[in-house]
Amino acid sequence: MRKTDILKLNMSLNNLTIKKTQELLKSKQISARDLVSYYFGKIEEKNKDINAYLEVFGDALGEAERLDKEGFGRKVLFGVPLAVKDNILIEGKTCSAGSKMLQNYRASYDATVIKKLKEAGVIFLGRTNMDEFAMGASTENSAFGATKNPFDLTRVSGGSSGGSASAVAMDGCLVALGSDTGGSIRQPASFCGVVGLNPTYGSVSRFGLIAMASSFDQIGPMTKTVEDAEIIFNIIKGKDAMDSTSSLTPDFDDKKFLKLKVGVLKYDKSGVDKEVNESLEKSVKILKDMGYELTEDNLEKAFHSVSCYYILVPAEVSSNLARFDGVRYGLFKEGKSLTEDYMETREAGFGLEVRRRIILGTYVLSAGYYDDYYTKAQKVRELIRMDFDKAFDLAGGGVDVIISPVSPSTAFKIGEKTNDPLKMYLEDIFTAPAKMAGLPAISIPNGFDSKGLPIGLQITAPRFGEKLLFEIGKKYESNL
Amino acid sequence: MEIEKLAKLARINLSSEEKEAFQKEFEAILGYISTLKEANVDGLENDFFKNKPVNKMRLDESNHEAGKFTKESLEGAPFAEDGYIKVKHVFE
């Protein structure tokens, strides 16, 4: 291509959406190879400072050329450049979950979501950084360095999907995949000014996602627009024989969209940044002006979510991470006996936060403590579910969706919360409740604070209510 | 809470500094978590497991020839021999 063409191209390529790229590719104004080259250029320019990508895939250009030869055809995501969080398996590629334990592990199969995206014509650009084994809210727990926030390199990108959030925000890909267990898609999305969807539990297959907490984990899209999140979600969702916890996503009644009721979460404002509070108040006004009916929602039990979360999740983690013992794959460090092999390997392979959570989980599941902690937490989880059921019961005066902040603050400084695990856990205060009840929730960009840092707005819907999130999200986006 | 005992159960080594740090951190974390005691779960006693998902099982049979994935599966193992994974003695 001539230099002037490339310059013209660069100017029109930084506001891309999936639909726009499909138009450009179909009309052959650009090729899939051009598109990949564009993003590779951005990655080369910005990744050394941001560390969003752990690895850029060398075969992406070749893949793009192959697609170009094949021609546009029927692939609904033809040539869409996508970044994948480092805990989602792509056959033949390294997948390390941000950990030394799997630093050289090569995936022997494709995750179901990867298979679906491949069939749709997506091009995988690389794997993105994350908190080790998805444990964290800042991506500072990665064994391979933190990911910096593209808006301020002295601040965190959020976590655990910080790499994916930053990759989208720095224009290092068009869309990305993240995973959410307690807020790991939504919080980094809000810190980096992008859209992040946490789907209904079971709506997206977990087959090929390195497990953290099996009753919470979900894979979801991180994108620039709500429509793009909707498009990706519709491709990756679906019941999967390889994941027995996956379900069919029932059709949502579109008639409901006429007069939606929005509940505003009631919470203790003193624990939250002033500007985050103001941002939510502004959203209330905008939504009222858009014609929605707003009421206040008091989800009492939801405030036990963080306590509940930090019992149930470490318990599931202690079980899921028992497989990493140096015997079949991953790091191996030798000891004097088989038991010592395990202990040496797991000490060398797991960072501090991972070991902390495994031990916490071992404690809450141990004899004498199981009922007080684990069983109690399971019961409280049920109470939280019932609380949400009541809140969404329209016949009983409930609402269609609930809005709230995503995080108590905007992106904090690197190192600010690393010495206090409990402080870091409290980052989940607004995102954990939806995960207790298996609900879908989306974080959409909601302006900036006085430091120029992005603020997010969280919208939570009933199970399988993603259409509500997309409906309100798209309208809100255009009204902001 | 005996960090040492739990570390052994979890098959994880911790340095003495790490053990000390964990002890302190866990006090704070468990302190926060204990607010769960206040939650009233009385109403749940009988209903609790009523609508819980049930395990969906499949037939215990393989859908490919024996040995098809053996070589690939053993690629990651540090020690393998004759199609088996090798480890130290399990019993001493």
Side-chain angles (χ1 to χ4, degrees), chain A residues 422-453:
Chain A
L422 185 57
K423 226 191 199 174
M424 194 69 90
Y425 295 170
L426 289 168
E427 271 294 300
D428 296 344
I429 207 130
F430 291 116
T431 49
K435 300 301 278 183
M436 287 296 139
L439 304 177
I442 197 170
S443 171
I444 57 181
N446 199 23
F448 301 86
D449 72 4
S450 53
K451 299 194 276 295
L453 300 169

Side-chain angles (χ1 to χ4, degrees), chain A residues 141-421:
Chain A
N141 289 331
S142 168
F144 310 113
T147 296
K148 321 282 169 50
N149 193 309
F151 288 87
D152 179 341
L153 298 178
T154 66
R155 293 176 184 269
V156 301
S157 55
S160 62
S161 310
S164 284
S166 290
V168 176
M170 78 189 202
D171 205 25
C173 62
L174 180 59
V175 297
L177 287 183
S179 73
D180 194 308
T181 301
S184 289
I185 285 177
R186 293 160 286 158
Q187 186 249 35
S190 85
F191 278 13
C192 294
V194 302
V195 174
L197 171 71
N198 165 67
T200 303
Y201 180 79
S203 62
V204 178
S205 172
R206 291 180 299 109
F207 182 70
L209 169 69
I210 296 181
M212 176 187 168
S214 310
S215 75
F216 292 83
D217 295 343
Q218 275 293 279
I219 296 173
M222 302 185 79
T223 58
K224 293 187 175 121
T225 64
V226 175
E227 183 178 60
D228 281 359
E230 179 177 18
I231 294 171
I232 299 287
F233 172 70
N234 285 332
I235 299 285
I236 62 176
K237 74 181 187 192
K239 192 167 165 64
D240 182 17
M242 301 304 281
D243 175 0
S244 67
T245 63
S246 65
S247 6
L248 282 170
T249 44
D251 274 326
F252 209 83
D253 185 5
D254 286 25
K255 284 184 273 172
K256 286 169 155 250
F257 292 175
L258 295 176
K259 229 334 176 78
L260 292 176
K261 292 171 83 179
V262 176
V264 184
L265 182 73
K266 185 163 170 223
Y267 62 93
D268 180 6
K269 303 216 162 155
S270 66
V272 176
D273 265 12
K274 186 162 149 281
E275 290 185 271
V276 172
N277 288 332
E278 284 168 0
S279 167
L280 187 70
E281 285 154 26
K282 178 196 76 183
S283 300
V284 169
K285 280 206 196 79
I286 294 176
L287 288 163
K288 272 203 186 117
D289 290 341
M290 282 165 67
Y292 296 114
E293 189 185 324
L294 297 212
T295 56
E296 202 176 51
D297 244 307
N298 190 3
L299 283 165
E300 265 178 31
K301 302 294 184 314
F303 290 101
H304 285 299
S305 294
V306 174
S307 311
C308 209
Y309 183 86
Y310 282 99
I311 292 173
L312 295 176
V313 166
E316 294 186 16
V317 157
S318 69
S319 174
N320 277 330
L321 269 64
R323 69 193 63 177
F324 299 110
D325 53 15
V327 173
R328 287 151 297 173
Y329 42 69
L331 184 74
F332 170 70
K333 207 158 174 247
E334 188 149 20
K336 291 184 238 113
S337 64
L338 185 57
T339 304
E340 278 196 32
D341 283 353
Y342 299 152
M343 300 192 71
E344 294 283 331
T345 297
R346 288 157 71 79
E347 178 187 20
F350 290 147
L352 215 48
E353 182 60 33
V354 173
R355 284 183 283 152
R356 189 180 284 126
R357 292 205 200 184
I358 291 174
I359 294 200
L360 186 53
T362 306
Y363 176 67
V364 305
L365 289 175
S366 62
Y369 297 104
Y370 191 101
D371 281 330
D372 282 345
Y373 288 111
Y374 187 76
T375 307
K376 186 71 188 276
Q378 286 284 42
K379 289 184 178 175
V380 175
R381 186 175 191 181
E382 185 64 20
L383 287 183
I384 296 171
R385 256 194 276 261
M386 287 163 55
D387 232 15
F388 272 109
D389 280 346
K390 205 163 122 229
F392 288 132
D393 177 19
L394 287 169
V399 296
D400 287 292
V401 297
I402 295 170
I403 62 168
S404 72
V406 180
S407 164
S409 70
T410 52
F412 43 90
K413 291 265 185 194
I414 292 172
E416 192 180 313
K417 301 199 180 189
T418 45
N419 286 329
D420 191 344

